Amino acid sequence: MNTFERQKDILSIIEKLDISPTLFKNATEKYKALAKYLNDNGLEADMYPQGSFAIGTVVRPNVKNPDANYDLDFICQVRGTRDDYSPSKLRELIEEKLSSSDLYGGKLETYPECFTIEYAAINGVGFSIDIVPAAEENAENKKRLREKCNYPELIEDSISIPKQNSEKNYCWLTNNPKGFQTWFDSINAPFIEASKDDFRNRFFQNNRAIFASVEEIPNDLYRSALQRVIQILKYHMNVYYFNLPNGDDVKPISAIINVLAARIASGYDPYVTVFDLLEYVLGELSICAQQQDLEYKNFIQNYGERKYLSRADGKWNIPNPANPEDNLADRWNKDAKIPYYFFHWLKAVRKDLIDSLNVEDEQVFRTALENGFGEKTVSSVLGKKYCNDNKKPKPIAVERVAKPYGSL
């Protein structure tokens, strides 16, 4: 048994699921070309990435198919504030410009949340760009948000995006992806610096056909221990909930993973390994899980306060650091199955990716990897490594929920 080799193999799976340098360059060129087209055709707008593409935690979205296309999210922020537009009018402006284009019109798909353009695959891998319309948040709302926010300096980048309500009309929703990226980058910076030399040397060796030297590697392609932990958690979550009955209904949003991992890591040694950090994050979240059974005051007495994931007054709260009016755990308070499954999923992560590192039987380790990442994904990277065809354990079934949850 070689624990270090097993850890390397898990990281090789995550690297395979990450966006490639070629695809990253292509996607960057494409969204900048979109912004140029809009500005050249009379709509002053700035396009910039949000979510996983912005903070460097991209993983393939489709657990059934290791070769699935990437979904990349971008904000299209027009000049002016929300006071200058109605939500519907803003959508119409952007849709009209894109649909009238010979280049983009035929590829444009319209959804309630965004507009999507699918791009052709290169070397068998493609991507789509999701375009979210936005305008700057108005001064009155920014003032209110600053007064509430623990990071008031982030509020200046707040935007408003059109959100479809139950009547299929649109209203404004405050968002702040730039502010969130600033917050995340400030936590991630020491982790990047701690592993920078090792990462870029290894990355360069694997991509010599693309880069002439390590200096040519864009900073946006660097990956820290924190970013790798988030990628591991996100993909494992995708697999776990895909195998769960009605998994999409109880699956947590990926922003929760980003916030919790970053908040927990902010107090940890940046020179940590990926697996030490993963174990630390899982340990802290297992402590938070005790709030399911303890009154909040008793939890604090026993474990201390955990402001990043709390349940004061019986209400779950995961604050968005860039928007004090956004509780990322809002759905948890409407459906008790969501936090229940969340904490059970974390136990599965530990079993598949921490405890399995020390099992003697290689086939048991292989089965744990397939439980965590899917059989096709593991095979595409590791082939038949760790397989013993004469003695293959059955895949571990996703834990079924006891009543009352199972009857809901």
Side-chain angles (χ1 to χ4, degrees):
M1 179 184 66
N2 187 327
T3 300
F4 178 72
E5 183 179 356
R6 291 180 177 186
Q7 291 176 341
K8 270 185 69 176
D9 286 335
I10 292 174
L11 290 177
S12 70
I13 293 171
I14 291 300
E15 289 166 4
K16 172 76 172 179
L17 296 168
D18 201 346
I19 192 168
S20 71
T22 301
L23 193 60
F24 173 84
K25 181 174 182 291
N26 191 19
T28 300
E29 291 172 350
K30 293 297 189 294
Y31 91 76
K32 289 182 176 180
L34 268 167
K36 184 176 186 304
Y37 166 80
L38 292 173
N39 281 275
D40 289 347
N41 287 273
L43 184 61
E44 293 185 58
D46 180 25
M47 281 195 69
Y48 52 89
Q50 70 163 343
S52 60
F53 194 77
I55 66 172
T57 59
V58 174
V59 290
R60 284 183 184 271
N62 191 330
V63 300
K64 290 178 65 177
N65 179 9
D67 297 320
N69 290 349
Y70 291 85
D71 295 326
L72 307 176
D73 299 329
F74 295 85
I75 296 292
C76 179
Q77 182 175 341
V78 299
R79 183 177 182 182
T81 73
R82 63 186 278 177
D83 294 339
D84 299 319
Y85 308 89
S86 70
S88 297
K89 182 62 176 176
L90 177 59
R91 282 181 56 89
E92 290 170 7
L93 280 173
I94 296 174
E95 182 177 9
E96 180 183 340
K97 292 295 182 184
L98 292 174
S99 60
S100 63
S101 163
D102 293 338
L103 179 59
Y104 302 119
K107 297 186 286 188
L108 187 70
E109 297 182 26
T110 302
Y111 298 97
E113 303 85 5
C114 64
F115 306 112
T116 298
I117 297 176
E118 189 95 19
Y119 288 91
I122 297 178
N123 297 325
V125 182
F127 65 94
S128 63
I129 285 181
D130 292 342
I131 304 164
V132 179
E136 183 180 351
E137 184 55 271
N138 64 29
E140 179 182 355
N141 288 338
K142 284 186 181 181
K143 182 176 183 296
R144 185 186 71 253
L145 293 168
R146 284 193 190 94
E147 292 170 352
K148 295 180 177 181
C149 193
N150 292 327
Y151 310 94
E153 69 279 3
L154 302 179
I155 299 302
E156 184 55 34
D157 288 323
S158 296
I159 58 175
S160 281
I161 63 175
K163 178 176 175 60
Q164 192 177 66
N165 58 30
S166 57
E167 289 79 30
K168 295 189 177 180
N169 296 316
Y170 285 90
C171 59
W172 286 118
L173 176 69
T174 299
N175 199 352
N176 193 0
K178 276 188 176 180
F180 184 87
Q181 182 180 353
T182 298
W183 172 82
F184 182 87
D185 287 348
S186 69
I187 293 173
N188 191 45
F191 288 90
I192 285 284
E193 190 60 33
S195 60
K196 186 175 183 178
D197 290 341
D198 287 343
F199 174 84
R200 68 179 183 177
N201 288 334
R202 186 174 66 256
F203 192 83
F204 175 66
Q205 293 302 322
N206 293 334
N207 294 278
R208 279 182 169 273
I210 301 173
F211 304 108
S213 68
V214 293
E215 285 74 21
E216 289 187 5
I217 302 171
N219 290 337
D220 288 338
L221 289 178
Y222 283 30
R223 297 292 183 259
S224 69
L226 173 56
Q227 288 164 305
R228 289 302 191 207
V229 164
I230 291 173
Q231 289 177 308
I232 288 170
L233 290 172
K234 283 173 60 177
Y235 201 77
H236 191 287
M237 178 181 70
N238 290 344
V239 174
Y240 182 88
Y241 282 90
F242 175 80
N243 290 316
L244 208 62
N246 301 315
D248 285 344
D249 296 334
V250 293
K251 182 180 176 182
I253 57 175
S254 60
I256 286 177
I257 307 302
N258 299 336
V259 168
L260 293 179
R263 286 290 301 270
I264 292 169
S266 64
Y268 209 60
D269 179 9
Y271 288 87
V272 70
T273 69
V274 171
F275 291 91
D276 285 342
L277 182 58
L278 176 62
E279 188 167 11
Y280 179 67
V281 169
L282 293 173
E284 284 294 300
L285 291 175
S286 71
I287 292 174
C288 293
Q290 304 308 311
Q291 296 177 83
Q292 296 175 102
D293 303 314
L294 293 175
E295 289 188 11
Y296 190 59
K297 64 178 181 179
N298 294 331
F299 173 80
I300 292 177
Q301 288 174 356
N302 292 341
Y303 300 103
E305 196 168 23
R306 301 293 197 278
K307 291 185 177 180
Y308 52 80
L309 175 51
S310 61
R311 200 188 185 193
D313 302 320
K315 299 291 185 182
W316 292 103
N317 184 39
I318 302 175
N320 181 339
N323 182 357
E325 295 179 347
D326 182 19
N327 175 14
L328 298 174
D330 185 57
R331 287 177 59 232
W332 294 28
N333 298 314
K334 300 172 183 177
D335 187 348
K337 296 190 298 294
I338 298 176
Y340 182 88
Y341 276 117
F342 178 77
F343 291 117
H344 276 263
W345 161 63
L346 292 172
K347 292 178 183 178
V349 177
R350 176 178 290 279
K351 188 171 186 177
D352 292 339
L353 303 179
I354 298 297
D355 297 345
S356 69
L357 294 172
N358 297 311
V359 299
E360 291 292 338
D361 191 323
E362 290 195 338
Q363 181 63 66
V364 172
F365 174 65
R366 170 73 182 218
T367 301
L369 289 184
E370 292 177 358
N371 286 329
F373 298 119
E375 184 176 355
K376 288 183 179 179
T377 297
V378 174
S379 295
S380 70
V381 178
L382 300 183
K384 292 187 175 296
K385 189 174 184 179
Y386 305 114
C387 283
N388 179 355
D389 293 333
N390 297 322
K391 185 182 177 183
K392 184 173 182 180
K394 293 181 180 180
I396 301 169
V398 173
E399 186 174 350
R400 292 296 183 263
V401 179
K403 291 183 178 181
Y405 299 106
S407 62
L408 295 178

